[in-house]
């Protein structure tokens, strides 16, 4: 018998010696699964095939999702699925021995006694042609029948009724047939004819007795009934075969979650992302466009799934994808649509990126700046404080995004924001994939020269000195010392002039990736007007005030 084991590491042919399965390299079949024990299970050849035994593993061995008892061998059948942790191995066998079927023979073949004969009534042998048969017409009324001469076979004893008959009469030229069991002769039947004369009975022991002229109709009727029964049985068998064939066809053509997953995996391993993408539900496709799907999934060398748990029109399983540079297992959900087709409706790996952007937009529109700020990487939070982040994004009324590019661990998206004041801006957003989720690592339009200059002077106008201090370059902050010193000195100047009443920003120009300039006109409460020429510098992706020169 040829047998083999198929798994993530390839095909292993089974031979006449036992093989071990486990996590350490000294096993014949190595399972790279954290839930596998060092020596997890063993497959051993037996006379009837191959058996598998659990060697006392920590997490157990499962065959067709039935856990094996420890150190108790179980015979493997073709196409059995062996699960160790989240790893699936498939047992294949060809030319497996078949159990001999019991043959039930006919007569003489062991099924029943060859000497068996269907029961026939005991009748005397038919005499030679004496022009008399059962089908012969009755003689005319008044003319007695002429019985033939009766040959006498010795002087048979006249049996009394109820006594066993020791022998039957002989047919001409034939030896007497001795029955295997003695029979008891019944009283001779009395034929009664309502409209014909009676005939004298023949002498006992001679041919011509009416009891010995029994036609063979019962045997013919029995044969006709047997043929009719055989025909009915044949028709029933044909009907059952046809019904079984139709049922099998319907079952095989019926859509199932496993068939949908098999098609999905086959398409991915063949690089046919378009067919694999068609296996996603409309909802999941709206969250992950096809280019994003192909980029997130990447090149797949192996695709497998665990036992499917189906409840009505929903099913769940663990889908494992393995590539040259990645291995991941996700709990996916499938749903059955109105046409009966099963589709993958939720895959955390595919939805992680759009879910991160959805959470970011929802938080901004709801004014929940803390939750929106939590979507930034720790590195980006180190460049932009929460106060500065929320000040740059005031009163967001609408937020939408488009994912433009995805590669291994990195993505780019365009985020469009609209503000209650009527302004709109588009951020080219960089995202990175962490161990738990996707996070925003850069926002191109968060701190432009115009936004920084406008926010700085509006913060002075509104006495939000902490935000204004953060928008000073590091060199200017050193001149003022602490934030408190800056706030105190600036507040004295503004109060003496009646505070800032209006701010006008103009002529903002970016001369390089790190320098920019602009002009602002301030109006104070005492009627004074001031025009300043400002220069800015890009520090850690935020434009900050470098110099302020009053004209």
């Amino acid at each position: 018998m040829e047998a083999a084991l198929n798994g993530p590491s390839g095909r292993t042919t089974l031979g006449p010696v036992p093989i071990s399965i486990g996590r350490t390299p000294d096993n014949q079949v190595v399972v790279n699964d954290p839930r596998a024990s060092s020596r997890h299970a063993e497959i051993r050849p037996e006379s009837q095939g191959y058996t598998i035994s659990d060697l006392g593993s920590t997490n157990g061995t499962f065959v067709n999702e039935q856990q094996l008892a420890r150190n108790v061998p179980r015979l493997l059948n073709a196409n059995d699925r062996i699960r160790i942790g989240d790893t699936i191995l498939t047992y294949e066998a060809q030319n497996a021995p078949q159990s001999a079927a019991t043959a039930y023979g006919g007569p003489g073949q062991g099924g029943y006694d060859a000497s068996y004969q269907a029961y026939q009534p005991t009748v005397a042998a038919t005499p030679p042609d004496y022009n008399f048969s059962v089908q012969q017409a009755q003689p005319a009324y008044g003319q007695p029948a002429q019985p033939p001469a009766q040959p006498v076979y010795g002087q048979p004893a006249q049996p009394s009724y109820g006594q066993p008959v020791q022998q039957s009469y002989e047919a001409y030229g034939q030896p007497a047939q001795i029955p295997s069991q003695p029979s008891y002769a019944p009283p001779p039947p009395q034929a009664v004819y309502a409209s014909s004369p009676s005939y004298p009975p023949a002498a006992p022991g001679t041919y011509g007795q009416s009891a010995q002229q029994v036609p063979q109709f019962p045997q013919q009727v029995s044969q006709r009934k047997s043929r009719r029964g055989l025909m009915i049985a044949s028709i029933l068998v044909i009907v059952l075969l046809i019904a079984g064939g139709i049922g099998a066809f319907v079952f095989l053509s019926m859509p199932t979650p496993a068939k949908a997953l098999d098609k999905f995996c086959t398409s991915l391993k063949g690089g046919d992302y378009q067919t694999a993408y068609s296996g996603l539900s409309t909802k999941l496709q709206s969250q992950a466009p096809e280019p994003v799907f192909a980029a997130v999934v990447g090149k797949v060398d192996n695709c497998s799934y665990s036992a499917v748990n189906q409840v009505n029109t929903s099913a769940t399983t663990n889908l494992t994808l393995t590539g040259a540079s990645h291995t991941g297992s996700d709990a996916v959900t499938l749903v059955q649509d109105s046409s009966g087709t099963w589709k993958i409706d939720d895959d955390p790996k595919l939805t992680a990126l759009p879910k991160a952007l959805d959470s970011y937009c929802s938080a901004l529109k709801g004014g929940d700046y803390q939750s929106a700020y939590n979507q930034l990487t720790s590195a980006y939070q180190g460049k932009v404080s929460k106060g500065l982040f929320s000040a740059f994004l005031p009163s967001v009324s609408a937020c939408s995004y488009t994912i433009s590019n995805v590669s291994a661990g990195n993505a780019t998206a365009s985020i469009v924001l609209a503000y209650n004041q009527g302004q709109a801006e588009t951020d080219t957003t960089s995202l990175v994939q962490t161990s738990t989720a996707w996070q925003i690592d850069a926002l191109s339009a968060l701190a432009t020269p115009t936004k920084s200059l406008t926010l700085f002077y509006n913060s002075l106008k509104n006495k939000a000195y902490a935000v204004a201090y953060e928008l000073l370059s590091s060199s200017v902050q050193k001149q003022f010392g602490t934030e408190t010193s800056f706030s105190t000195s600036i507040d004295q100047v503004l109060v003496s002039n009646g505070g800032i009443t209006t701010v006008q920003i103009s002529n903002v120009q970016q001369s390089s990736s790190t320098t920019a300039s602009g002009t602002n006109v301030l109006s104070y409460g005492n009627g004074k007007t001031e025009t300043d020429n400002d220069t800015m510098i890009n520090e850690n992706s935020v434009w900050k005030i470098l110099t302020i020169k009053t004209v």
Side-chain angles (χ1 to χ4, degrees):
M1 179 180 70
E2 298 179 1
L5 207 61
N6 281 330
S9 59
R11 179 183 176 89
T12 302
T13 302
L14 303 180
V17 297
I19 67 167
S20 62
I21 304 172
R23 194 177 65 251
T24 56
D26 59 337
N27 292 281
Q28 285 79 12
V29 177
V30 179
V31 177
N32 295 318
D33 194 299
R35 298 177 62 188
S37 299
S38 57
R39 288 184 65 81
H40 197 104
E42 180 184 72
I43 293 181
R44 178 177 294 274
E46 303 290 351
S47 59
Q48 295 181 343
Y50 288 86
T51 60
I52 184 170
S53 301
D54 183 275
L55 300 180
S57 65
T58 301
N59 295 306
T61 304
F62 296 81
V63 176
N64 299 329
E65 291 309 312
Q66 294 183 353
Q67 185 171 4
L68 303 182
R70 294 184 176 183
N71 299 308
V72 177
R74 168 173 172 158
L75 184 65
L76 288 171
N77 297 314
N79 300 319
D80 274 354
R81 289 164 60 87
I82 303 167
R83 180 169 68 82
I84 295 176
D86 292 325
T87 301
I88 302 297
L89 306 172
T90 304
Y91 173 76
E92 294 182 354
Q94 297 180 356
N95 301 325
Q98 301 294 326
S99 299
T102 303
Y104 296 95
Q109 297 178 355
Y112 55 90
D113 191 352
S115 65
Y116 173 83
Q117 301 275 345
Y119 172 76
Q120 302 292 337
T122 303
V123 298
T126 304
D129 185 12
Y130 287 3
N131 297 320
F132 178 87
S133 67
V134 173
Q135 291 79 17
Q136 181 177 353
Q138 297 293 336
Y141 181 78
Q143 295 182 4
Q146 301 296 322
Q150 306 295 331
V152 178
Y153 294 86
Q155 297 296 329
Q158 300 299 324
S160 61
Y161 297 122
Q163 298 298 324
V165 179
Q166 300 301 319
Q167 66 181 10
S168 63
Y169 298 113
E170 299 176 359
Y172 289 105
Q174 300 295 330
Q177 302 294 326
I178 301 175
S180 58
Q181 298 293 337
S183 62
Y184 294 89
Q190 301 296 324
V192 179
Y193 298 93
S195 59
S196 60
S198 60
Y199 295 90
T206 61
Y207 291 102
Q209 293 181 356
S210 59
Q212 296 171 343
Q213 297 176 5
V214 180
Q216 301 299 314
F217 292 153
Q219 182 178 4
Q220 297 172 3
V221 172
S222 175
Q223 292 174 350
R224 286 197 296 269
K225 288 183 177 180
S226 177
R227 287 194 296 269
R228 185 182 300 113
L230 181 60
M231 182 178 297
I232 293 173
S234 300
I235 293 173
L236 288 175
V237 170
I238 293 173
V239 170
L240 290 174
L241 289 175
I242 294 174
I246 294 174
F249 174 77
V250 171
F251 176 78
L252 292 175
S253 61
M254 183 182 301
T256 64
K259 290 179 182 178
L261 290 167
D262 288 339
K263 182 179 179 181
F264 181 77
C265 282
T266 300
S267 301
L268 284 182
K269 289 189 290 185
D272 185 0
Y273 294 100
Q274 185 174 5
T275 299
Y277 187 72
S278 67
L280 308 184
S281 68
T282 303
K283 183 192 81 174
L284 189 54
Q285 288 181 353
S286 66
Q287 294 176 331
E290 186 175 346
V292 175
F293 165 77
V296 170
V297 171
K299 185 178 184 302
V300 175
D301 297 324
N302 190 38
C303 174
S304 61
Y305 57 89
S306 62
V308 178
N309 180 25
Q310 180 182 343
V311 179
N312 298 326
T313 58
S314 179
T316 56
T317 185
N318 286 323
L319 182 66
T320 302
L321 302 180
T322 304
S325 60
H326 68 281
T327 298
S329 180
D330 293 318
V332 301
T333 301
L334 297 92
V335 295
Q336 192 173 28
D337 60 21
S338 57
S339 66
T341 304
W342 285 90
K343 302 275 189 178
I344 297 175
D345 191 57
D346 186 24
D347 184 342
K349 186 174 184 179
L350 294 179
T351 58
L353 178 57
K355 281 182 178 179
L357 292 168
D358 284 338
S359 298
Y360 179 75
C361 279
S362 297
L364 287 181
K365 290 187 293 183
D368 184 1
Y369 291 101
Q370 180 64 60
S371 296
Y373 189 69
N374 290 341
Q375 295 297 322
L376 308 184
T377 62
S378 57
Y380 197 35
Q381 288 179 352
K383 299 175 183 178
V384 183
S385 68
K386 178 192 170 186
L388 199 58
F389 171 80
S390 57
F392 273 129
L393 302 169
S395 304
V396 175
S397 59
C399 177
S400 61
Y401 64 86
T402 301
I403 300 173
S404 55
N405 184 42
V406 181
S407 60
N410 295 278
T412 304
S414 295
I415 299 179
V416 179
L417 299 177
Y419 298 96
N420 290 335
Q421 296 84 356
Q423 311 98 311
E425 68 183 31
T426 300
D427 272 327
T428 300
T429 308
S430 299
L431 299 98
V432 296
Q433 189 175 24
T434 66
S435 59
T436 57
W438 286 87
Q439 290 187 306
I440 296 172
D441 196 49
L443 293 164
S444 65
L446 178 66
T448 63
T450 299
K451 288 181 68 175
S452 292
L453 197 59
T454 302
L455 180 59
F456 175 76
Y457 284 104
N458 281 330
S459 297
L460 294 180
K461 175 186 173 183
N462 299 323
K463 295 188 177 183
Y465 298 130
V467 174
Y469 182 77
E470 283 195 68
L471 288 170
L472 298 177
S473 66
S474 57
S475 60
V476 175
Q477 287 178 351
K478 289 180 181 179
Q479 295 175 9
F480 282 100
T482 65
E483 177 189 324
T484 303
S485 300
F486 168 77
S487 301
T488 302
S489 60
I490 290 297
D491 188 65
Q492 292 175 354
V493 173
L494 296 180
V495 169
S496 65
N497 287 283
I500 298 175
T501 56
T502 61
V503 176
Q504 294 180 354
I505 304 297
S506 62
N507 300 325
V508 179
Q509 296 179 353
Q510 183 177 334
S511 55
S512 69
S513 60
T514 57
T515 59
S517 61
T519 301
N520 75 85
V521 178
L522 303 178
S523 297
Y524 293 99
N526 61 5
K528 181 181 177 180
T529 301
E530 175 182 316
T531 301
D532 295 323
N533 289 331
D534 305 315
T535 60
M536 290 172 285
I537 187 172
N538 190 337
E539 288 186 352
N540 292 325
S541 302
V542 178
W543 287 94
K544 297 187 176 183
I545 307 299
L546 183 62
T547 62
I548 301 175
K549 184 177 182 181
T550 302
V551 178

